[in-house]
Amino acid sequence: MTGIASIAEDVREGRVDAAEPARAAVARLREQNGGPQGLNAFLAALSESEALALKVSSDGGRLSGVPVAIKDNLATVGFPTTCGSRILEGYRPPYEATVVKRLREEGAVIVGKTNLDEFAMGSSTENSAYGPVRNPCDPTRVPGGSSGGSAAAVAAGIVSGALGSDTGGSVRQPASFCGVVGVKPTYGRVSRYGLVAFASSLDQVGIFGATVADAAELLQVVAGHDPRDSTSVDLPVPDFSEERDTGAEGLVVGVPTEYFGDALEPGVKASCQAALDMLAAGGAQIREVSLPNTRYALSAYYVIATAEASSNLARFDGVRYGARDSSGKDLGEMYERTRTAGFGREVKRRILLGTFALTAGYHDQYYGRAQRARGLVSADFEAVFGGGVDVLFTPTSPTVAFPLGERVQDPLQMYLADVFTVTANLAGLPAISVPVGVSDGLPVGGQLIAPKWGEKTLFRAAFALEGAVEAA
C-alpha cells in the first residue's frame, strides 16, 4: 500500500483521480472483510455505489484523497457509532469528533468504522457484540485490542492509516500483534471531544500507520488544542516528520529491567534485544534503568479504569439514546432490562468491579490507593527522564498474538496482555509501538516511551529504529 504522503501528493498533483484511492480501499475492504473467514475489521463502510459516487477535492489538503478508517467509538457524521455494543446498535451521532473533523478538513476520506472490544474494554477484540476480528498475519489469532479492527485494517493494506483509542495500550498492543505502527500521544495533545468515554483520565485518541511516516502524518493533522475538550493543552505541535533522517546518534535509550522479566516470551525478548543492538550500532547510548513501582501499575490501572467506566457508562440507560427495553413495569425495571440486554459480559464485569471500588466503605481502600500508586508510577518516569534518559525502550507485549478463544474465559490472563503498556497511560506519557522482528512467524513490537510533550524525540527514535530494522 502506498504511503499517506505519496497518496496525497499524487492527488494534489493530478496524477490520480482524487476519489480513486478511496474507491480502491473500499474494493479491498469488500474483498477482505466479510464472510466466515473474513477479517471482520469493519462494522460499517462506504458501499460500492457510495464509493463510485464520491466527489473528493484535490485542492491541496495535507491528506487529499487519503482513505482512513475510524474506530467505532469516535463520533462520525454519516456512519453509525456503536462502540461494538448492542446498546448503541444503529446509533448515529448528530455531531463529529474533533479528530475526524480535522481529517476531513485536510482532505481525508473516511471509508468505514472499525470493530473493537465493546466500549474499548478488552485486549483481543473478541468482546465485540458483532463478532471477533481476525489477525491478517494469521486468521486463527487475535489482532489485539481494543482497537483490533483499526490495526487489522492497516495490516491488511486496506488503508495506510487509521484512528483508534488507547486507554491502557489499546493502540500499541494491537499494533504489535499485527505488525504495524501504533502511537499514543501525550495526554492532552489530541482532543478527546467525540470519543465515547471509557476511563476519562486514561482515554486518548491514538494513531495507526503502516509506517512511522504514515503515523506521523496523521498525528500532525489531528494534534493540537481544542477548546471543546477541557483536558486539551494549548501547546505548539512540532513537525514530527522532520525527525525522519535525524538518526539515533547521541540518543540515550533507557532499558527498564522490570520489563524484561520471566513473563517475556523468549522470541519476543530476542527480537527486542536485537532492536536495542541496532539502536546501539546507530550511535545510541543504551542505559539500564529501573522503574520499581511498575509492579503496582496493572492493579492500579484496572481499579482506576473500572471505577471511571462504572461512572461513564451510567449514561447508557435507554432513556436518551440507544436501545431500550420497554417491557418492564416501571422506570427502574426498564433501566435494568435495557442494560442487562445491551451490555456484554466484559462490560458488565468492569461496571460491577468499578462500582464496588467506588462504594463508600471501599473508596479509599481501592480507588484512593490506586491513585496513589499511579503517582508512584509517574514519579518513577520523572526520575528516569530527569536523569538524562531521552526515551525508554520496552517490549510492547510479553507475547505475540495468541489464538482466538484462548483467553476469553480467563480475564486475568487477558489483562496481563497490557502489563507493558498501562504505565504510559497512568503517567500520561507519549509512546509508540514499532515492528522490530518476528517470533514463530508472528510480528513483535518494540515500545518507545518519551517524556510528556516529547513526541518529537519519540518520532526521532522511532524513525531510527524502523530504519535499522528494515536495513537488517
Side-chain angles (χ1 to χ4, degrees):
M1 176 98 185
T2 307
I4 286 174
S6 296
I7 294 171
E9 184 179 358
D10 284 345
V11 168
R12 287 193 300 267
E13 297 298 323
R15 290 190 286 268
V16 300
D17 180 81
E20 183 52 36
R23 291 183 184 130
V26 171
R28 291 190 293 270
L29 189 161
R30 296 290 164 190
E31 180 183 350
Q32 298 183 59
N33 193 61
Q37 297 303 311
L39 296 176
N40 197 32
F42 286 82
L43 296 179
L46 293 176
S47 66
E48 293 180 70
S49 59
E50 288 171 326
L52 286 171
L54 274 175
K55 296 187 184 303
V56 180
S57 173
S58 58
D59 63 358
R62 183 164 188 150
L63 301 177
S64 293
V66 173
V68 178
I70 306 295
K71 187 176 181 180
D72 201 30
N73 61 348
L74 285 158
T76 44
V77 172
F79 292 99
T81 298
T82 71
C83 293
S85 179
R86 293 294 180 195
I87 207 164
L88 282 176
E89 188 168 11
Y91 171 68
R92 288 178 176 263
Y95 69 102
E96 193 150 75
T98 295
V99 288
V100 178
K101 185 171 181 286
R102 287 178 176 175
L103 290 175
R104 292 196 202 267
E105 287 172 347
E106 288 295 329
V109 180
I110 311 306
V111 297
K113 301 295 292 295
T114 57
N115 203 351
L116 68 156
D117 284 302
E118 186 179 4
F119 283 100
M121 297 182 191
S123 303
S124 65
T125 317
E126 294 174 282
N127 293 331
S128 171
Y130 306 100
V133 177
R134 295 178 180 273
N135 190 325
C137 304
D138 179 348
T140 69
R141 295 183 179 254
V142 303
S146 63
S147 308
S150 290
V154 175
I158 296 171
V159 290
S160 292
L163 297 188
S165 66
D166 193 312
T167 304
S170 287
V171 165
R172 289 159 289 149
Q173 185 249 27
S176 175
F177 280 9
C178 291
V180 297
V181 175
V183 184
K184 183 202 86 69
T186 306
Y187 187 85
R189 173 70 82 183
V190 175
S191 172
R192 294 185 299 113
Y193 178 78
L195 172 65
V196 178
F198 160 16
S200 301
S201 73
L202 300 162
D203 294 342
Q204 294 179 245
V205 176
I207 309 293
F208 290 97
T211 64
V212 174
D214 288 338
E217 282 294 308
L218 289 186
L219 182 58
Q220 199 73 53
V221 169
V222 302
H225 179 59
D226 178 11
R228 288 174 292 187
D229 174 7
S230 63
T231 63
S232 173
V233 177
D234 191 3
L235 286 174
V237 179
D239 188 340
F240 308 122
S241 296
E242 282 183 350
E243 301 301 314
R244 184 194 300 262
D245 300 315
T246 308
E249 183 72 40
L251 271 179
V252 180
V253 179
V255 182
T257 56
E258 291 80 8
Y259 288 66
F260 285 84
D262 295 338
L264 198 58
E265 284 185 352
V268 173
K269 186 174 184 178
S271 291
C272 288
Q273 186 56 57
L276 285 168
D277 292 342
M278 293 174 198
L279 286 172
Q285 177 189 336
I286 310 300
R287 181 187 300 177
E288 189 174 284
V289 299
S290 179
L291 299 169
N293 291 298
T294 294
R295 64 185 183 273
Y296 304 127
L298 196 67
S299 299
Y301 167 80
Y302 274 101
V303 171
I304 294 168
T306 57
E308 295 184 6
S310 73
S311 175
N312 278 323
L313 269 64
R315 71 194 65 177
F316 301 102
D317 54 14
V319 175
R320 286 159 287 190
Y321 41 75
R324 176 188 298 181
D325 186 330
S326 301
S327 61
K329 64 180 182 294
D330 55 28
L331 183 63
E333 193 167 316
M334 186 275 286
Y335 283 160
E336 182 179 344
R337 287 175 178 268
T338 296
R339 291 166 67 82
T340 298
F343 289 139
R345 183 176 179 180
E346 180 63 25
V347 172
K348 291 173 185 173
R349 177 186 290 121
R350 297 196 190 196
I351 290 172
L352 290 170
L353 287 170
T355 303
F356 176 78
L358 290 176
T359 52
Y362 296 101
H363 182 282
D364 192 61
Q365 184 178 349
Y366 291 103
Y367 188 71
R369 290 179 70 184
Q371 290 287 22
R372 291 192 288 275
R374 181 182 196 169
L376 295 175
V377 170
S378 296
D380 279 354
F381 281 113
E382 290 173 8
V384 168
F385 289 128
V389 169
D390 295 312
V391 292
L392 294 170
F393 177 89
T394 80
T396 307
S397 174
T399 70
V400 293
F402 44 87
L404 285 159
E406 183 181 79
R407 303 189 185 186
V408 172
Q409 303 303 323
D410 191 343
L412 181 57
Q413 284 302 309
M414 187 72 80
Y415 296 168
L416 287 171
D418 302 328
V419 67
F420 297 149
T421 52
V422 296
T423 51
N425 294 84
L426 289 170
L429 304 177
I432 186 170
S433 180
V434 178
V436 295
V438 175
S439 175
D440 296 326
L442 295 165
V444 174
Q447 177 179 227
L448 294 161
I449 306 173
K452 286 183 180 179
W453 318 115
E455 282 88 352
K456 196 170 176 67
T457 302
L458 186 75
F459 273 99
R460 177 189 171 189
F463 276 119
L465 178 58
E466 179 183 60
V469 170
E470 289 176 351

